[in-house]
Amino acid sequence: MNNATIVRPSLPRRVHMGRRAQSRIANLLTYFLLGVGMLFTLIPFVWLLSSAFKTPEKIMAFPPQFIPSPITFENFRYIFEKTHFEVFFYNSFTVTAVSLTSQLFFSSLAAYGFARLRFAGRNQLFMVLLGTMMIPFQAYMIPRFMIMRTLGILDTLAAVFLPYLFGGAFYIFLLRQYYLSLPRELDEAAIMDGCNFFQVFWYILLPLTKPALYTIAVLEFLASWNSFLEPLIYLNTQSKFTVALGLSLFRYSFGSRIEWGPLMAATLLVALPCLIVCFAAQKELIGGIATTGIKG
Amino acid sequence: MTPPTRSPVFRLTLRQRETISGYLTILPWFVGFLVFTAGPMMASLYYSLTDWGLVDQPKFIGLMNYQKMLSDPLVWQSLWVTVKFTITSVPARLILALIVALLLVRPIKGTNLMRTIYFIPSVVGGVPVALLWMWMLNADYGIVNYFLKLLGINGPGWIADPKWALWSLVLMSCWNIGSPMVILVAGLQNIAPHLYEAAELDGANGWDKFRFVTIPMLSPTLFFLLVSSVIGAFQVFDAAYVMTSGGPLRATYFYLLYFYQTGFRYLNMGYASALVWLLFVLIIIMTALIFRSSSLWVFYESEVKK
């Protein structure tokens, strides 16, 4: 690539070409390169969108059409007729809502404790918490499966959200940083006024962490909605499937031949909530990832 | 807020109440940690020393599973697939993310919108992305081969072709550079402008500034991204499961796919536990190696300031 484009806003320097002209060329080049990259980023989505609305004949047309004509909703009708897609959505929303609420509350509570309250072993426990973030989920997948079997909740939604009710290590870490940034005078004044520690948490500090909570809510929504491997091992019955699981098996539901139109329509429906969240919460999401650096 | 009413019999000091409240706040997390993380970790270590087919009782067999792994060709084959993917996908993604990040920190308009656009692929889940790319990489009707045809190239069969299947997944992974890009943008914005000013006074050109200011100052960020991307690449599952089921001819038979099939298709839970512990140990070793190497190439500002 062209290294000239890397140069940051230039500072006074002996000018050859005229600074204006030089920086205009550099800017044009920047726009051009970014534009090409965005094209590559967006074309798959355009293709997804157009495939979802194509008739079976047009989908196999070559050269392919980008704007389908005629536009058909047949693919969507088909997926709701052939499968229980609305049930998958309902299941995913349930799992997401339950784990989201619980994660937000218990992560906040633990973060408050780690950030504000003094008790023996606190720092050691926090190191343990940091350590758990590095363990790949697969390392404890089989025993988790056994736990769910022992509890008799295999093949229920409870198995999918149960491990995610107690506060996530990463969220606690993130919120703790946030709590540490709040002035201690707030707690002290409230304690003076006779609040106990839980009232300090609930009435004074928690409302101030709203921006961080928003970020975590978005991250947990995406994690829960997109989760695949865990539902895959716990769930067997179609009526219990989450969207990712339903979608992955959908491709086999036409026999050996894949019906691309309905499959892309289903893919679009599953991706849509995430896309909406991405745009609605772009500031919180991108800001949250920038400051903390999660997801590979 | 009402002042808390306390029974006079149990009047605790503020300090004692703080301690008790402290333990109570972290109790839910700690219970979850013991029951769903720490306990299962230990259990899986034990299972890895047993012969266990889910229906029967685990039978202790010592290190037999690990011994068996040494001579199991599928272990090595799936590890090799995983390593090939990691050493191509990780650098490719990081370099692409760095290029985009460098362009996005230039003083131009619309960078926020563009950053969001580059980020979109990362919010979509593994399964929808896999299905979308399956369709795009379709040999006959896929859009990738259509574009290649416009350029006069006869596209390969992609995921249907054993020679191309793994590279198809690498290509797909390069579409999703959102997270590293966003983190690199933040890293670049944290570099103090006076460093560039100083470099310019010393007569540095664009490349010099990139090589001697940007890269060293960004190296802690790159280091973090390298560690997390390698760990992520070793855990690839969704795409391989959905798109190829490991095929064709095991060209995309990732390590975790082998683990999953051993445990949940052939119900060989003992052996599967051993497989996953090997993965865990490998991840630790790689992380340690990257950490070791970091003293050679990662530059921490605080070391100089001291």
Side-chain angles (χ1 to χ4, degrees):
Chain A
M1 66 165 283
N2 192 330
N3 293 307
T5 59
I6 287 162
V7 183
R8 293 191 8 127
S10 302
L11 294 139
R13 110 164 12 172
R14 238 126 285 143
V15 182
H16 301 289
M17 199 163 62
R19 277 208 51 194
R20 267 263 174 76
Q22 205 180 21
S23 80
R24 266 192 64 175
I25 290 172
N27 282 354
L28 280 177
L29 197 61
T30 307
Y31 277 122
F32 174 74
L33 292 173
L34 284 171
V36 170
M38 279 192 288
L39 211 59
F40 278 108
T41 308
L42 289 177
I43 281 177
F45 289 110
V46 175
W47 182 236
L48 171 65
L49 200 64
S50 92
S51 302
F53 292 98
K54 276 181 193 168
T55 58
E57 305 85 59
K58 292 290 177 181
I59 203 148
M60 296 301 190
F62 206 89
Q65 292 178 315
F66 269 98
I67 297 167
S69 76
I71 289 177
T72 172
F73 291 91
E74 201 56 22
N75 295 329
F76 294 92
R77 212 175 56 101
Y78 185 89
I79 52 178
F80 284 104
E81 254 170 30
K82 285 270 172 173
T83 68
H84 301 289
F85 230 78
E86 68 286 353
V87 178
F88 305 157
F89 267 85
Y90 176 78
N91 291 343
S92 271
F93 271 115
T94 310
V95 168
T96 305
V98 173
S99 66
L100 189 84
T101 318
S102 195
Q103 288 281 47
L104 281 181
F105 179 74
F106 286 120
S107 300
S108 290
L109 191 64
Y112 165 67
F114 277 123
R116 283 300 215 253
L117 304 178
R118 286 162 301 171
F119 51 90
R122 183 184 71 174
N123 294 342
Q124 288 81 349
L125 281 170
F126 191 68
M127 290 311 288
V128 170
L129 180 133
L130 292 182
T132 61
M133 298 199 309
M134 286 184 245
I135 306 170
F137 152 71
Q138 295 82 8
Y140 40 83
M141 188 167 124
I142 288 175
R144 261 194 193 176
F145 175 81
M146 293 309 295
I147 294 174
M148 303 309 172
R149 203 166 81 140
T150 312
L151 292 175
I153 55 172
L154 273 187
D155 205 20
T156 68
L157 292 181
V160 181
F161 62 66
L162 188 62
Y164 300 98
L165 295 183
F166 299 90
F170 180 74
Y171 303 142
I172 296 174
F173 167 73
L174 205 130
L175 282 166
R176 176 180 169 269
Q177 302 300 105
Y178 206 90
Y179 277 96
L180 288 176
S181 72
L182 300 174
R184 271 198 182 267
E185 288 75 20
L186 289 172
D187 318 29
E188 283 157 13
I191 296 279
M192 287 292 175
D193 288 345
C195 277
N196 66 38
F197 291 102
F198 292 97
Q199 288 167 324
V200 173
F201 164 67
W202 188 251
Y203 293 109
I204 313 285
L205 295 179
L206 191 65
L208 295 173
T209 62
K210 258 187 206 146
L213 291 176
Y214 200 39
T215 300
I216 290 172
V218 173
L219 293 174
E220 176 63 18
F221 173 85
L222 293 174
S224 179
W225 188 262
N226 293 330
S227 164
F228 177 61
L229 183 52
E230 240 182 325
L232 178 69
I233 61 169
Y234 299 144
L235 306 176
N236 277 317
T237 327
Q238 276 225 10
S239 63
K240 304 289 166 48
F241 281 178
T242 57
V243 282
L245 202 51
L247 187 61
S248 81
L249 297 178
F250 191 58
R251 75 174 261 224
Y252 298 108
S253 55
F254 322 102
S256 57
R257 220 175 73 107
I258 299 177
E259 295 280 356
W260 288 109
L263 188 61
M264 286 303 109
T267 303
L268 179 65
L269 286 179
V270 172
L272 205 57
C274 303
L275 297 177
I276 293 170
V277 163
C278 179
F279 272 97
Q282 46 179 304
K283 217 178 87 216
E284 290 75 15
L285 182 61
I286 292 174
I289 288 169
T291 48
T292 56
I294 18 136
K295 297 183 73 184
Chain B
M1 265 166 275
T2 50
T5 48
R6 268 168 286 137
S7 139
V9 186
F10 298 108
R11 184 152 300 177
L12 300 167
T13 64
L14 187 65
R15 193 72 185 76
Q16 284 167 321
R17 286 200 292 134
E18 183 173 345
T19 302
I20 294 168
S21 307
Y23 286 121
L24 285 178
T25 57
I26 63 158
L27 188 65
W29 163 73
F30 195 66
V31 168
F33 162 71
L34 284 184
V35 175
F36 289 106
T37 307
M41 279 282 290
M42 292 303 108
S44 97
L45 189 59
Y46 168 70
Y47 289 153
S48 78
L49 304 174
T50 65
D51 179 22
W52 179 37
L54 193 62
V55 276
D56 50 347
Q57 286 297 313
K59 196 172 81 213
F60 188 81
I61 53 166
L63 292 173
M64 290 263 280
N65 281 330
Y66 293 94
Q67 211 176 354
K68 196 174 132 203
M69 274 160 51
L70 286 176
S71 55
D72 179 353
L74 279 182
V75 169
W76 302 108
Q77 197 183 355
S78 58
L79 266 182
W80 178 229
V81 167
T82 309
V83 167
K84 272 196 288 187
F85 177 82
T86 306
I87 58 179
T88 46
S89 155
V90 171
R93 287 183 67 217
L94 289 186
I95 289 169
L96 278 174
L98 181 61
I99 293 172
V100 172
L102 286 165
L103 293 170
L104 281 177
V105 293
R106 286 184 46 81
I108 52 172
K109 280 182 199 138
T111 47
N112 277 347
L113 177 68
M114 290 195 276
R115 200 175 53 168
T116 305
I117 287 173
Y118 276 108
F119 192 76
I120 303 174
S122 345
V123 300
V124 181
V127 177
V129 166
L131 290 172
L132 171 57
W133 276 82
M134 249 178 101
W135 174 221
M136 294 207 310
L137 292 172
N138 185 295
D140 302 319
Y141 307 105
I143 194 141
V144 176
N145 276 358
Y146 167 68
F147 282 129
L148 287 178
K149 188 158 268 172
L150 290 185
L151 297 172
I153 302 167
N154 244 334
W158 297 109
I159 58 169
D161 181 342
K163 270 200 253 117
W164 283 90
L166 187 63
W167 311 124
S168 309
L169 295 191
V170 173
L171 176 74
M172 183 178 108
S173 77
C174 289
W175 181 55
N176 173 359
I177 56 165
S179 303
M181 178 273 295
V182 164
I183 294 165
L184 285 168
V185 166
L188 286 169
Q189 283 166 344
N190 279 338
I191 301 177
H194 72 79
L195 294 173
Y196 290 101
E197 291 162 26
E200 277 182 15
L201 287 178
D202 290 344
N205 61 28
W207 169 251
D208 291 340
K209 282 190 281 186
F210 176 69
R211 172 68 190 80
F212 297 108
V213 179
T214 310
I215 288 294
M217 294 307 288
L218 206 56
S219 59
T221 312
L222 287 168
F223 168 67
F224 165 79
L225 287 174
L226 186 66
V227 172
S228 57
S229 314
V230 167
I231 294 177
F234 258 71
Q235 296 180 55
V236 167
F237 177 81
D238 299 7
Y241 179 89
V242 173
M243 292 171 82
T244 58
S245 313
L249 296 178
R250 295 225 166 85
T252 58
Y253 202 57
F254 281 85
Y255 191 78
L256 274 186
L257 204 57
Y258 182 40
F259 155 74
Y260 170 79
Q261 294 194 337
T262 306
F264 292 92
R265 182 167 302 168
Y266 305 113
L267 299 183
N268 198 343
M269 295 293 197
Y271 194 55
S273 299
L275 284 175
V276 91
W277 267 88
L278 176 67
L279 175 76
F280 188 39
V281 170
L282 284 177
I283 285 180
I284 292 174
I285 291 175
M286 277 185 319
T287 312
L289 283 179
I290 302 174
F291 263 90
R292 262 288 178 75
S293 78
S294 71
S295 62
L296 299 175
W297 63 276
V298 177
F299 170 80
Y300 289 103
E301 211 175 351
S302 53
E303 285 169 10
V304 182
K305 276 183 183 159
K306 257 184 249 167

